[in-house]
Amino acid sequence: MPVGRAIASLAVPTVISQIVTVIYNMADTFFVGQLGDPNQVAAATVALPLFIFITALANLFGVGGASLISRCLGQGDRQKAGHTAAFCIWSAIAVSLIYGIAVLLLRPVLLPLLGADAETFGYSSSYVLYSIGLGAMPAALNPMLAHLVRAEGHSRQASLGVAFGGILNILLDPFFIFVLDLEIAGAGIATLLSNLAAAGYFALFLHKIRHETAITISPRQYTLGQHIPGEVLSVGLPSCLISVMGAISNTVLNHFTSGYSNAAMAGMGIAKKVNLLAFAVGQGITQGTQPIMSYNYGAGKPERVKKTFFLILAFSFGFTTIASWLILLFPKTFIMPFTDSQRLIEITIPAIRIYFGGMMFIGVLYACQRTFMALGRTKLSLLGAMMRKLVILLPLCFILPRLGYGTDGLLYAECIADVLGSAIVFAIFIWNFKSMLKTP
C-alpha cells in the first residue's frame, strides 16, 4: 500500500479515538463543573497526576510492546510477538493492581501532597477511591491493549475500543452525578464502569480473532526470556517517563496554585483539560503510524520509514498548530463548557494564553519521539523524554515563581519547555536520522 494510504488507514481511526479520549477526559470536569462548586472542580484537578501515572504504566508496556510486536511481525517472528503480548498484558495487570492498592492506602498522604486542602480532601478521596483505587487496572489495560492491537494493524478496532469506553463514560457521568446525586463520587464510579466495559470489549475482540492474531492473553505464553522484558521496557520507558514528568509537573502546579485559592486551582485544571485538545490530533497521527515504521524497519525497508516520518511530521505539526491557534484566539469558547462562573473564566483565559504559546511545536516533538520508539532507539528516546520535562521544565517551575511571576511563572515554564524541548529533540533527531535507518 502507498505510504500515504497506509497512514490514512491507521492514523485516521486513531485520531478519532484520541479526540473521543480527550472529550472523555474532559467529561468528569465538565459535569462536575455543572455543580457550580469550585471545590469539586479543584478536587478533580488534584486527582489528575494520579491518572497521568496510569497513562505512564500503560505506555510502559503498550508503547514498548507495540514497537517490538510490529518489528517481530516485520521479521516474520510471530512466536516472539505472541510472547511479547502475553508479557505486556499480564505485567500491566499486576503492576496496575499494585498501583491502585497503593493509591487507595496512601490517600491521606498523597492527596495533600497533590494540593488537596480541608475543603477538597473529602471530594478528592471519594473520586480517587472509585476511579483509581478500584479502577487502576482497567484504566491501564484499555490504552495498553489499544497499542498492542494497533501494532498488528487493527487500528479501527483499537480506536473503537477506546472510543466505546469514552462515550460510555460521558453517558454514565450525568446519571451518577445528577440523577443519583452522588456528585464527584458519581464521576469516579462512571469512570470505573466505563473502563471495565472497554476492557471487556478488547477481551472479546482478541477472543474473536484468536486464530489469526499473534496477540495472546494466555498466561502460558508469558515469558521473561528472549530478551523480551528488556526490549519492551527500554522502548516503553521514555514514553512512560514523559507521562511521569507530566504528573510531576502537574503536582508542582497544583502545589503552588493551592497556595492562592481553590478557584485558581480549578481554573488551572480547566486550562489543562483544554490543553488536551491540542494534543489529540498530533498524538493520534503519531500513534497510528508507529506500526508502519516499526513493521517496515523490521522488514528492511528504510525508504518507507523515511517517507512515513516526513508525512507524519507535516501532518502532526500542521494540525497541532491549527488547534493551538483556535484555542488562543477563542479561549472563552473552550472554557465555557466547563463552567459558567465568571471568576473562573477570568482566571482561566490568561492562563490558556500563556500556556498555549509554545504548544504548536509539540507536533514536532511527537513525530520525533514516536519514531525513536518505533525503531527501538532507546537512548535517543530517553534523552528526548528527559530533555523537555526534567532538564528544562522542572527547574523553571521552581525558578520563575520565585522571581515574582507567581502561578503565571509555572505556565511560562511549560511554554518555554515546549519550545526549547521540541527544538532540541528535533536537532537530536536530524543528527541521528541517517544512522537510525540502518536495518536491524
Side-chain angles (χ1 to χ4, degrees):
M1 184 184 293
V3 171
R5 278 178 55 199
I7 290 175
S9 66
L10 289 179
V12 170
T14 311
V15 169
I16 294 171
S17 74
Q18 281 296 121
I19 293 173
V20 173
T21 300
V22 167
I23 297 171
Y24 149 61
N25 285 330
M26 291 179 172
D28 287 353
T29 303
F30 170 78
F31 288 113
V32 171
Q34 306 313 301
L35 295 169
D37 184 358
N39 288 330
Q40 295 198 52
V41 178
T45 303
V46 167
L48 182 59
L50 299 176
F51 274 110
I52 294 174
F53 197 82
I54 291 179
T55 302
L57 294 177
N59 288 343
L60 180 64
F61 297 104
V63 173
S67 175
L68 182 55
I69 287 171
S70 292
R71 282 181 278 130
C72 288
L73 293 175
Q75 295 165 353
D77 192 347
R78 291 178 61 84
Q79 184 180 41
K80 186 174 181 180
H83 288 311
T84 300
F87 168 79
C88 293
I89 291 168
W90 289 102
S91 297
I93 289 174
V95 173
S96 59
L97 282 174
I98 293 170
Y99 174 70
I101 293 170
V103 169
L104 201 61
L105 297 176
L106 296 174
R107 279 179 296 167
V109 178
L110 278 177
L111 296 181
L113 287 176
L114 296 175
D117 60 15
E119 294 177 305
T120 60
F121 179 84
Y123 293 128
S124 298
S125 183
S126 60
Y127 180 61
V128 167
L129 167 64
Y130 298 105
S131 59
I132 299 176
L134 300 177
M137 188 267 286
L141 267 185
N142 293 336
M144 193 274 299
L145 286 171
H147 281 301
L148 300 190
V149 169
R150 195 177 291 118
E152 206 173 32
H154 301 292
S155 183
R156 183 171 57 86
Q157 292 84 352
S159 301
L160 181 61
V162 174
F164 168 63
I167 293 170
L168 183 61
N169 193 98
I170 293 168
L171 295 175
L172 291 177
D173 261 342
F175 175 74
F176 284 101
I177 295 172
F178 303 115
V179 177
L180 297 184
D181 197 27
L182 295 175
E183 300 186 317
I184 194 172
I189 295 171
T191 299
L192 168 62
L193 294 178
S194 61
N195 283 328
L196 283 170
Y201 160 85
F202 279 112
L204 289 174
F205 173 70
L206 289 174
H207 178 74
K208 180 181 177 181
I209 64 170
R210 64 190 182 280
H211 297 304
E212 59 189 78
T213 180
I215 299 171
T216 175
I217 61 174
S218 171
R220 289 178 295 181
Q221 296 296 316
Y222 186 94
T223 181
L224 297 177
Q226 303 181 57
H227 306 290
I228 288 174
E231 292 189 61
V232 168
L233 299 180
S234 62
V235 175
L237 183 60
S239 185
C240 173
L241 286 177
I242 291 172
S243 297
V244 170
M245 291 298 105
I248 293 173
S249 64
N250 272 279
T251 301
V252 173
L253 181 65
N254 289 347
H255 178 75
F256 279 107
T257 308
S258 65
Y260 292 84
S261 69
N262 286 330
M265 180 178 287
M268 294 295 182
I270 292 173
K272 286 281 186 180
K273 293 291 185 180
V274 175
N275 149 35
L276 295 173
L277 283 171
F279 283 150
V281 176
Q283 278 189 325
I285 291 171
T286 55
Q287 276 187 15
T289 51
Q290 178 179 322
I292 300 174
M293 288 190 284
S294 295
Y295 185 92
N296 282 286
Y297 179 70
K301 299 178 179 179
E303 284 304 313
R304 284 177 65 85
V305 176
K306 184 177 180 180
K307 188 172 182 179
T308 302
F309 167 73
F310 283 111
L311 282 174
I312 66 170
L313 177 65
F315 290 148
S316 183
F317 177 67
F319 278 109
T320 306
T321 300
I322 292 169
S324 298
W325 276 106
L326 284 174
I327 295 168
L328 285 169
L329 292 173
F330 309 104
K332 193 171 182 179
T333 302
F334 292 90
I335 296 169
M336 289 183 67
F338 297 102
T339 182
D340 57 3
S341 168
Q342 191 60 37
R343 185 184 177 196
L344 283 184
I345 292 173
E346 290 174 357
I347 289 172
T348 308
I349 286 178
I352 281 179
R353 285 182 169 150
I354 298 171
Y355 191 78
F356 277 84
M359 192 62 65
M360 65 189 71
F361 298 100
I362 292 298
V364 176
L365 182 73
Y366 280 158
C368 295
Q369 281 291 92
R370 190 63 60 177
T371 305
F372 286 147
M373 296 170 192
L375 306 187
R377 300 298 177 174
T378 306
K379 293 180 180 178
L380 294 177
S381 185
L382 185 59
L383 178 62
M386 303 295 283
M387 186 60 62
R388 172 170 162 253
K389 290 290 188 179
L390 187 62
V391 177
I392 301 173
L393 178 60
L394 286 183
L396 288 177
C397 281
F398 286 95
I399 293 170
L400 293 182
R402 285 169 172 76
L403 294 179
Y405 289 97
T407 53
D408 284 352
L410 299 170
L411 297 168
Y412 280 119
E414 293 267 11
C415 179
I416 294 169
D418 288 342
V419 176
L420 289 182
S422 298
I424 293 170
V425 169
F426 185 66
I428 294 171
F429 184 91
I430 295 300
W431 183 264
N432 292 277
F433 191 37
K434 185 178 291 187
S435 63
M436 286 195 302
L437 290 178
K438 293 179 180 177
T439 55

